[in-house]
Amino acid sequence: MIKAVIVDDEPKAIQSLSWELTSFSDEIEIIKTFSNPEEAIDYLDNNVLDCLFLDIQMPTMDGFQFLDKLTNRDFAVVITTAYNEYAIKALKHEAIDYLLKPIDSDDLSDTILKIKKHNSRLVNSSKIEEVLLNFNAKHDKKKITINTDGKLIFIDAESIEFVESDGNYSTIFIEDGQKIVITKKLKEVSLILPETCFFRIHNSFIINLNKIKEFIKNDGYVIMESNHKIPVARQRKSDFLEKL
């Protein structure tokens, strides 16, 4: 059973979509509906689901702004709207499908197949990552696993110099000059880095403490081994000094 959530600012639209989804398919269970986007964000960031059916045109924030605010995207996103001009933008926001209202039963069947394939890939990737994490726990040289561009990248954590945030994306800077851009927020990246040597020194930066070359106290920044200058946030300075 596909556990789904609907977000739409119009209660009548939610009622209509719920009826269409459950009438056209016995594989979908609507576990929650929201007309308030902020309440929906809080729920989605803290609960498990398989799919989100999201309306684009909402008054307080549109659907794309809504997606940008989510910290948890471990589920399929299906855009639902009465207008077709948002299709390309929906794909850019990694929606797996785009349904025009009123929903056609054949289109819904195709969407359900896409949801199943999407979630199957997530499960398989999670299993692989679990095996790797268990493997790394038994060895001194730890690696982290990054999902990007449909592939898994294994990186020696000690080779990472720093990570820079760019909204919903993060760039990992490796000591050999390589840069890896991933679709994870900095908060998510911090969860997979070893706490012993990585520190979030600024809202936009996580640094490897072992790669610091200089700390310029008066100006409030560090110089990394690659000569990159990273600012030290004023509110994080005392924690940073304690970490050192």
Side-chain angles (χ1 to χ4, degrees):
M1 184 70 74
I2 297 170
K3 296 183 183 298
V5 171
I6 298 175
V7 178
D8 195 309
D9 66 298
E10 298 182 9
K12 287 185 178 179
I14 290 177
Q15 185 178 7
S16 175
L17 181 57
S18 296
W19 181 86
E20 289 174 320
L21 292 172
T22 54
S23 296
F24 290 158
S25 172
D26 58 1
E27 296 183 84
I28 295 179
E29 177 189 0
I30 309 299
I31 60 172
K32 202 77 174 176
T33 64
F34 294 92
S35 56
N36 183 314
E38 294 292 347
E39 292 179 1
I41 289 171
D42 182 62
Y43 178 87
L44 294 173
D45 282 343
N46 294 284
N47 290 275
V48 177
L49 62 148
D50 298 310
C51 181
L52 168 66
F53 289 89
L54 175 66
D55 184 46
I56 287 300
Q57 293 186 313
M58 297 184 289
T60 55
M61 71 175 78
D62 66 35
F64 301 119
Q65 292 171 325
F66 178 91
L67 290 175
D68 287 340
K69 289 190 174 186
L70 291 175
T71 57
N72 172 30
R73 282 287 298 272
D74 292 334
F75 48 79
V77 176
V78 177
I79 300 299
T80 60
T81 180
Y83 308 94
N84 61 10
E85 64 262 33
Y86 300 109
I88 294 176
K89 197 171 181 180
L91 292 175
K92 287 183 178 179
H93 278 72
E94 298 182 343
I96 67 161
D97 213 351
Y98 184 90
L99 289 174
L100 285 174
K101 302 174 184 178
I103 296 173
D104 179 82
S105 58
D106 290 336
D107 289 342
L108 181 58
S109 296
D110 291 340
T111 297
I112 291 172
L113 288 176
K114 291 178 182 179
I115 295 170
K116 288 180 176 179
K117 288 180 181 178
H118 177 272
N119 291 337
S120 176
R121 286 196 296 269
L122 282 180
V123 169
N124 289 335
S125 293
S126 296
K127 287 180 179 178
I128 292 172
E129 289 186 40
E130 184 178 351
V131 169
L132 288 168
L133 288 172
N134 290 335
F135 175 82
N136 287 336
K138 298 175 183 177
H139 294 76
D140 292 332
K141 195 173 184 179
K142 301 292 190 297
K143 287 192 175 184
I144 62 169
T145 307
I146 300 293
N147 282 297
T148 181
D149 295 330
K151 58 187 177 184
L152 290 173
I153 299 177
F154 313 123
I155 308 172
D156 289 330
E158 62 187 33
S159 72
I160 297 173
E161 190 170 48
F162 66 94
V163 185
E164 182 176 7
S165 169
D166 182 14
N168 290 319
Y169 296 84
S170 295
T171 302
I172 300 174
F173 289 77
I174 310 297
E175 61 185 0
D176 63 2
Q178 183 184 4
K179 299 178 185 178
I180 301 172
V181 179
I182 60 175
T183 54
K184 282 183 180 292
K185 295 183 178 180
L186 204 60
K187 181 180 179 181
E188 298 174 86
V189 178
S190 67
L191 297 176
I192 60 177
L193 293 173
E195 293 182 4
T196 52
C197 56
F198 285 90
F199 180 76
R200 188 164 182 175
I201 201 169
H202 185 278
N203 283 342
S204 299
F205 293 95
I206 296 173
I207 64 168
N208 185 339
L209 298 171
N210 296 324
K211 303 294 182 182
I212 297 174
K213 186 165 69 174
E214 297 179 38
F215 173 36
I216 312 301
K217 295 181 180 180
N218 294 335
D219 295 329
Y221 64 85
V222 296
I223 299 177
M224 307 303 290
E225 290 181 353
S226 61
N227 290 321
H228 280 91
K229 293 182 179 180
I230 309 293
V232 181
R234 189 173 302 171
Q235 66 271 25
R236 299 176 188 267
K237 190 173 182 179
S238 59
D239 290 339
F240 170 59
L241 292 173
E242 284 182 17
K243 197 80 173 177
L244 289 178

